[in-house]
Amino acid sequence: MDISVKTTVGMLLSLGASMVACAGDAVNGLCTVKIASQPLGSALQELATQSGIQIIFLSNLTDGHDAPALNGTFTPKTALDKLLRGTDLTFQQLNDKTIEVRSEHAFRRTAHTAAGDVAPRISAYAPDGSNAASFRDVTRPLRLAQAQPTSRAGSSTAAPTAEPERATVQEITVTARKVRENQQDTPVAITAFSGDALAQRQIFQTDKLTQVVPNLQFGTNAPLAGNNSSSQVFIRGIGQTDPTSTVDPGVGMYIDDVYIGTAVGARMDLRDISSVQVLRGPQGTLFGRNTIGGAILLSTTDPGDEFGGTLRGGFGSDDLIDGFAAVDVPLGDTLKSRFTAGRRKQDGYVTRTDGTDLGDTNTYTLTSKFIWKPTDKLEARWLADYSNADEHGSPLVFATINTAQTFPRVASSDAGCPGFNGNFASLPAVPNIPDDRCANSFQRRGPYSNNGTTPLKSTLEAWGTSINLTYSLTDAVSLKSISAYRNVRWTGARDADNTPLTILNTFYDVDGWQWSQELQGICRRDALTGVVGAYYFKQRSNDIATVDLNPPPPGVQHDSDNNVVDNKSWAAFTQWTYTFSEQLGATVGARYTQDDKGSYPDQFDYSTPDIKQVPLRWYRDTFSAFTPSASLSYRWSRQAMTYVSYAEGFKGGGWNSHFNSVLTPEQQAAL
């Protein structure tokens, strides 16, 4: 059983590589080097590992050269100079962590290599439709010497022992177009990472993807929902802020091919992820829901072929305790399984006046995955997951307030703020004095303190299961079925004003479920690759929301924003790619979508519960659209490809579920 234990102090750190970085600047700092006499390529790899820098070189440049032994304290540049002495090689610093080794006659040597020895580009492209980006080493003339990471957690095969010192450039295989292709050959705006790459960059939550993915803004929606697991995702400025079920997310999130239909629960730990793909722009042609901003595809780790597992733990500041365990259990020649469990607990970093810590973490997750492959033609995947969070509340703090607005003046007057004499209209603004009865800037208690008094909480209970069937009719044609069910229950209590006064407080209690079915047919014959699909989605949610506010006349208004949501959607889509030559390819696609959105609002003031703010009935509407897409790509050389693409997007409308007054007859008629 391959067990690796990772421990951290202050923050979680990946300790997969035995790397000793040089002091100070990586390229110019001093470090201890101990390299035996050996072939030059292996010596360069040793230097990269011991110094923590990257050394890039063409593999054939080092053939036939031996490096002398090196033992002492050097800068990487000095060490390189000694290793390359007596050869026709030199080096150039590209940045503070990367050095390129090349021939002194680089242009002549490169031209000769291109005409003869360069290994052809290898492009993995098979019609299996697996929605997981893979990262595999492919023999290339370009070498990247760097510290070698350990094998992937959960892998049951050891790394090859032959030529261990030589690193190779990874080929990234993505499935953004429902077939497996080399990312460099895919005319799609896509960013892809393996699970190991995310761990090396310390990306352990979905909202941290913002740090490594251009054009992506992945934040929590706690200021609106009051729930730490809520998400607010934008790609290229397109997204959605409302966390309720009445509107769809602007950016679609998929876990193992299954669309996540709610914003709450999308902010999660990246526990057992094999890859992440982020697609920019409308993605309706090939994906179940036609999201207009883009799509984020998460793929979990597959079970290994042998019994084994991984164990990871960490601790840090604010009493952080983090643990994860995964075990692969083969159940026969055709059936294998993987089980995981994760736990994370940490104190909050924002303190209320009563001592409650906000922004704490208290979560655990359980997952299982079974893969059954009785024949070469049939593969079945059954996945199940469970997540639970029970936390004190979102870490909000007081920023500023407009003391001339009506709500702060009413609340201050009701609380007895000096100068009002019980009448909010007697003063144009709240007096700027240090009194907790006054809604002014003195309510600010610092960057990590909250002066609110409303009881807060943030809870989440989510679970789901899916069955993914793939059957190969022929070598060129395969069929795929994805059936999934998910259930989510969450609460969020929010003190929006962060003061002891009741200016605006919200309380959510939401219970919902979704069911989806997707069918795909994938064809790849010679130069033609095509996907044809149909999709059905149904969502039901019971949103109980209560709003406390303090408008005139004086007194707290206790409103109900209860709403039952019933959404249905179906779509038919297709996309075809034809490769005219090794350089030229074209893709066309189309989709028809129809959304049926239903809302049953029960909204009233608790002081007069029989007076409904909108008539109590079902409100329904249907939205539909035909959206085409097309792209044309041309590969100028092995290193460069240009493509132009066009895509139309569609997102069905929804119902506003937020009211705090009775609608007029004219407003009701507009519904």
Side-chain angles (χ1 to χ4, degrees), residues 412-435:
S412 300
S413 175
D414 286 354
C417 178
F420 281 105
N421 298 319
N423 184 1
F424 78 94
S426 63
L427 290 178
V430 178
N432 194 30
I433 57 177
D435 191 318

Side-chain angles (χ1 to χ4, degrees), residues 17-20 45 48-50 52-54 144-149 167 200:
S18 176
M19 181 186 299
V20 181
Q45 179 64 57
T49 300
Q50 295 180 28
I53 66 171
Q54 294 187 128
L144 176 62
Q146 58 184 355
Q148 292 298 297
Q200 291 166 6

